[in-house]
Amino acid sequence: AVVPTRFIPPPIPLIQTDKGLKASDRSGFESHVFPSLFLSLHLSRDLLPNSTKEFLTLPYDLYTPSVQSQLLDRICQKCSLYFASKVMLKSHMIVHKKKTQSASAVVEKEFIVTRTRPVRIAAMRQRE
């Protein structure tokens, strides 16, 4: 009931500026304060720097210094979900492959049905 999306929001360091609270850039945030969970749930994307606009959903590791260079490599290209490891992303891609294979199997099945139907009609005509 507290977290309706079932995912804890990413920790975003905030700094006080002349214009109010702003999220610091993703590098060099020494004087930062992390907000509470309840404030994090209601943070606006307007507080975030322009470098975060490229993400559809904010990755949890957005401000983790050791993962900064690998963030884009860990996002699914088809559904824009973020995964904490490349192994999990790889296992997730199987879902997309199964969907395309099942869709192509349906197309092949329809093609086979439409292709074999004239043969059935010809067989029925011979019996007449």
Side-chain angles (χ1 to χ4, degrees):
V2 175
V3 184
T5 60
R6 299 182 325 165
F7 293 103
I8 296 175
I12 300 172
L14 297 176
I15 55 174
Q16 183 69 38
T17 63
D18 297 340
K19 298 175 184 175
L21 286 176
K22 288 285 181 185
S24 63
D25 289 327
R26 293 190 299 167
S27 62
F29 45 92
E30 291 81 26
S31 60
H32 59 275
V33 176
F34 289 98
S36 67
L37 172 66
F38 298 109
L39 184 60
S40 295
L41 287 171
H42 300 290
L43 281 179
S44 171
R45 283 193 75 124
D46 297 335
L47 295 174
L48 298 173
N50 288 335
S51 62
T52 61
K53 304 294 184 202
E54 61 194 32
F55 300 110
L56 187 62
T57 58
L58 291 179
Y60 188 80
D61 296 330
L62 185 64
Y63 284 95
T64 306
S66 61
V67 189
Q68 290 290 317
S69 62
Q70 301 170 357
L71 283 177
L72 293 176
D73 296 337
R74 295 178 179 185
I75 294 177
C76 178
Q77 299 295 322
K78 294 188 179 188
C79 60
S80 300
L81 285 177
Y82 171 74
F83 294 91
S85 68
K86 290 182 181 179
V87 173
M88 290 304 298
L89 175 64
K90 198 174 195 180
S91 65
H92 167 75
M93 293 304 288
I94 294 171
V95 173
H96 293 299
K97 286 182 183 176
K98 285 183 181 177
K99 285 182 182 177
T100 57
Q101 286 176 353
S102 64
S104 65
V106 168
V107 170
E108 288 177 9
K109 201 175 207 180
E110 289 176 3
F111 180 72
I112 290 171
V113 168
T114 57
R115 188 163 187 195
T116 56
R117 185 177 172 133
V119 174
R120 290 182 187 166
I121 292 174
M124 288 181 356
R125 302 282 177 180
Q126 283 182 342
R127 288 185 218 143
E128 291 177 356

